[in-house]
Amino acid sequence: MANYLIYLHREESRMSLEKLRARREQLRKNSDITLNNMQKLADESSRVADVAHHSRKILDDLDREFEFETGLKGNDITFLFAAVGLQLARIVILNELTKTEKAGSENRNETKLHEFQEKLLGRFNNHEIVKERPYYASMEHIITKAGVPYDATAYLSENSIQYLAGKGRTWDIDLTDMIPTQNLSLFKGANHRFATLGHDPVLGLIFGTGNIMTNTITCIQKASLTGNIGLPILTTNHVIVSSDYKDPRIATYASTAVMLKEMLNRIKEEPSAFVASLIKQIIHIGTDLYTPCGIQIPGANLILSNTEVEKLTKYISTGDIVKIGASAKLAEFINFLISTLHTLMYDSSTLVSRDLYNVRTRKIIMYSNVIATGSNVLWVGANTLAGNGASIKQLDIGGLLVTIKRLTTDKKFIRELKEEFVFGEFSKKIQGDALDLEKVNWD
């Protein structure tokens, strides 16, 4: 029994020693792992410190890398030249189309529009001869004559009737009651455009169309800001033409309310007359847009006197607004076209990301707009300094507005993307690779 107890004691001592040795071995391994992990942390700290120490150089390198990757090269240059060419062509063509020319047969745009009017309105012509009467212009008159009644500037009188009768003119209506009994003074000469509502680009769609349908002319006798502030005063007069629709003469006063009523009645009974008159009204405004007198901005003659409207129109007219709007829309369309085509050229197999490629696209649009607009500004400026004051009308204001917008939005986009790229890459350098620390086993 005693020997057995001694044996058990020896076995326990031997097992405790082996366990102790295993424990010491585990402690040694844990120490090595800890020291190795500490070395990795020290190396990583040193690397991060080195990155922080050289942060300025690293940021500069990343900045240069961004500029290199987003710089224009290869096909980008081709797109840039194409965009500049299209923008310059837009400016030249619009300036040519909107060049101020005297009204009349020598005005190319007016001639073309009247030819278009003749072809378009000819479809409404049923060649039915209907005599004219007060508040009624025959369909034949509306569609075969380029002129409009609110362009009349001469007045009807006994002397003018005798003179025209001597030339063989006849009339469909009795002129006895059409001769004005009072001294009419609706406007002076060419400023009839600023006195008549038919020449208003918006209100003319109602009053001008109504005047065409009823052989009348509606004028502003007193604007709301003339003298005491109040409502503008409108007057309407009959316009008499000969049986062959020539020699329009302003006759006695009519009623504006009756004119509008007759217009509405005819729209119900003969809608084609309204359509033809509306087309004629729009075309007539188009022929007057780029003439020396121009077309006033909407509603101007309701507020200001004829003289004030005439002065205002020399600085800003409806034609200018139309040109600015058309120029801006065309510039934006060209930008969209170039942007779409350049984006479709992106090759995903290249090392350049789509975001960086988009910066190239933005730069093409921005640079092309700046070059085209800058060239126009320099050309206009040089001509103005040389004494050609009329060249100021060729300033591409619509394109300039688009360029300013692109400079604002594109520069902001590029700046934000550049910050994201530079600081994103710098953050990755600071973070480095995963440390892959070993796990200490305490079991």
Side-chain angles (χ1 to χ4, degrees):
M1 184 66 180
N3 291 336
Y4 179 71
L5 293 174
I6 294 172
Y7 171 77
L8 289 177
H9 178 70
R10 288 177 177 176
E11 285 295 319
E12 287 178 358
S13 298
R14 184 178 63 78
M15 292 178 65
S16 296
L17 183 60
E18 290 179 355
K19 189 174 182 181
L20 180 62
R21 288 174 179 173
R23 184 67 174 171
R24 288 178 59 190
E25 180 64 20
Q26 184 63 45
L27 287 173
R28 185 187 64 77
K29 289 182 179 180
N30 286 344
S31 296
D32 291 341
I33 291 172
T34 301
L35 290 174
N36 188 39
N37 286 344
M38 290 177 65
Q39 185 62 46
K40 289 181 179 179
L41 289 172
D43 292 343
E44 179 63 14
S45 298
S46 177
R47 186 193 66 79
V48 172
D50 185 67
V51 170
H53 180 70
H54 297 91
S55 59
R56 172 52 58 188
K57 181 178 182 303
I58 294 172
L59 289 172
D60 289 342
D61 290 342
L62 289 172
D63 186 275
R64 282 191 293 271
E65 181 182 352
F66 177 86
E67 294 299 330
F68 175 78
E69 294 293 346
T70 60
L72 303 186
K73 52 181 72 72
N75 287 335
D76 302 332
I77 305 299
T78 303
F79 273 95
L80 176 61
F81 278 108
V84 171
L86 287 174
Q87 294 291 3
L88 289 175
R90 168 187 61 80
I91 295 173
V92 172
I93 293 172
L94 273 179
N95 280 336
E96 183 64 23
L97 291 175
T98 58
K99 186 164 60 177
T100 300
E101 295 180 338
K102 290 183 178 180
S105 58
E106 295 182 0
N107 188 309
R108 294 169 300 170
N109 292 333
E110 182 173 344
T111 301
K112 291 178 181 178
L113 284 172
H114 281 158
E115 289 175 354
F116 173 72
Q117 173 182 312
E118 185 178 348
K119 292 179 181 179
L120 184 60
L121 297 186
R123 301 176 182 179
F124 295 90
N125 195 353
N126 56 12
H127 301 285
E128 181 181 356
I129 304 300
V130 178
K131 288 188 176 183
E132 300 201 338
R133 57 183 182 271
Y135 297 110
Y136 184 91
S138 68
M139 192 67 163
E140 182 80 9
H141 181 189
I142 294 172
I143 64 182
T144 60
K145 295 301 176 182
V148 292
Y150 54 82
D151 255 351
T153 56
Y155 296 96
L156 185 70
S157 65
E158 292 183 358
N159 290 336
S160 64
I161 293 173
Q162 291 177 2
Y163 170 74
L164 293 174
K167 294 176 61 177
R169 296 284 187 260
T170 60
W171 294 267
D172 291 342
I173 62 177
D174 183 4
L175 302 182
T176 305
D177 296 331
M178 290 296 173
I179 300 175
T181 57
Q182 55 275 88
N183 183 23
L184 297 179
S185 181
L186 304 179
F187 42 74
K188 294 181 181 179
N191 76 357
H192 74 282
R193 288 195 188 177
F194 313 111
T196 54
L197 273 181
H199 283 105
D200 187 288
V202 175
L203 295 175
L205 297 174
I206 299 173
F207 289 92
T209 303
N211 289 156
I212 293 171
M213 296 173 69
T214 59
N215 272 344
T216 55
I217 179 172
T218 301
C219 300
I220 305 294
Q221 286 301 298
K222 183 180 178 182
S224 61
L225 293 185
T226 303
N228 296 326
I229 298 176
L231 294 175
I233 298 175
L234 310 183
T235 60
T236 298
N237 289 71
H238 293 288
V239 175
I240 303 301
V241 295
S242 59
S243 300
D244 54 357
Y245 316 124
K246 295 180 179 180
D247 298 307
R249 300 280 169 155
I250 302 174
T252 188
Y253 283 113
S255 167
T256 304
V258 173
M259 181 272 290
L260 293 173
K261 180 181 177 182
E262 291 297 325
M263 172 188 173
L264 293 174
N265 290 337
R266 193 164 180 190
I267 290 174
K268 296 177 183 178
E269 298 171 0
E270 193 179 3
S272 59
F274 168 72
V275 175
S277 299
L278 180 60
I279 293 172
K280 190 173 184 178
Q281 167 66 20
I282 294 172
I283 291 176
H284 183 77
I285 292 297
T287 62
D288 285 346
L289 278 178
Y290 301 106
T291 53
C293 287
I295 293 293
Q296 69 267 22
I297 60 176
N301 54 3
L302 291 177
I303 301 172
L304 305 174
S305 69
N306 298 346
T307 303
E308 291 168 336
V309 175
E310 186 174 5
K311 291 179 180 178
L312 175 64
T313 306
K314 291 180 179 179
Y315 295 98
I316 179 70
S317 67
T318 296
D320 296 327
I321 296 173
V322 170
K323 180 181 178 180
I324 292 170
S327 181
K329 289 299 180 183
L330 281 174
E332 289 179 341
F333 174 75
I334 293 172
N335 290 341
F336 170 76
L337 179 65
I338 294 295
S339 176
T340 301
L341 292 176
H342 187 257
T343 301
L344 292 175
M345 295 292 290
Y346 174 70
D347 186 0
S348 58
S349 64
T350 62
L351 297 178
V352 180
S353 69
R354 183 173 287 276
D355 283 341
L356 295 182
Y357 187 81
N358 286 340
V359 173
R360 292 186 190 176
T361 303
R362 296 263 184 159
K363 284 186 175 182
I364 291 172
I365 301 302
M366 186 170 61
Y367 293 163
S368 64
N369 285 190
V370 170
I371 292 172
T373 300
S375 300
N376 173 256
V377 171
L378 290 175
W379 184 88
V380 170
N383 278 271
T384 302
L385 292 175
N388 182 13
S391 63
I392 194 68
K393 283 286 187 178
Q394 297 187 341
L395 182 63
D396 180 33
I397 299 177
L400 179 61
L401 294 175
V402 172
T403 298
I404 293 173
K405 177 183 176 183
R406 297 300 309 198
L407 284 172
T408 303
T409 57
D410 289 344
K411 279 192 171 183
K412 180 181 179 183
F413 173 83
I414 294 173
R415 183 179 67 253
E416 291 176 350
L417 194 60
K418 183 176 182 178
E419 291 175 355
E420 182 181 339
F421 173 83
V422 172
F423 291 111
E425 292 298 319
F426 184 73
S427 177
K428 290 179 182 178
K429 288 183 179 294
I430 291 179
Q431 292 174 7
D433 298 327
L435 290 178
D436 192 25
L437 298 176
E438 296 183 60
K439 185 178 180 181
V440 177
N441 186 8
W442 297 105
D443 295 336

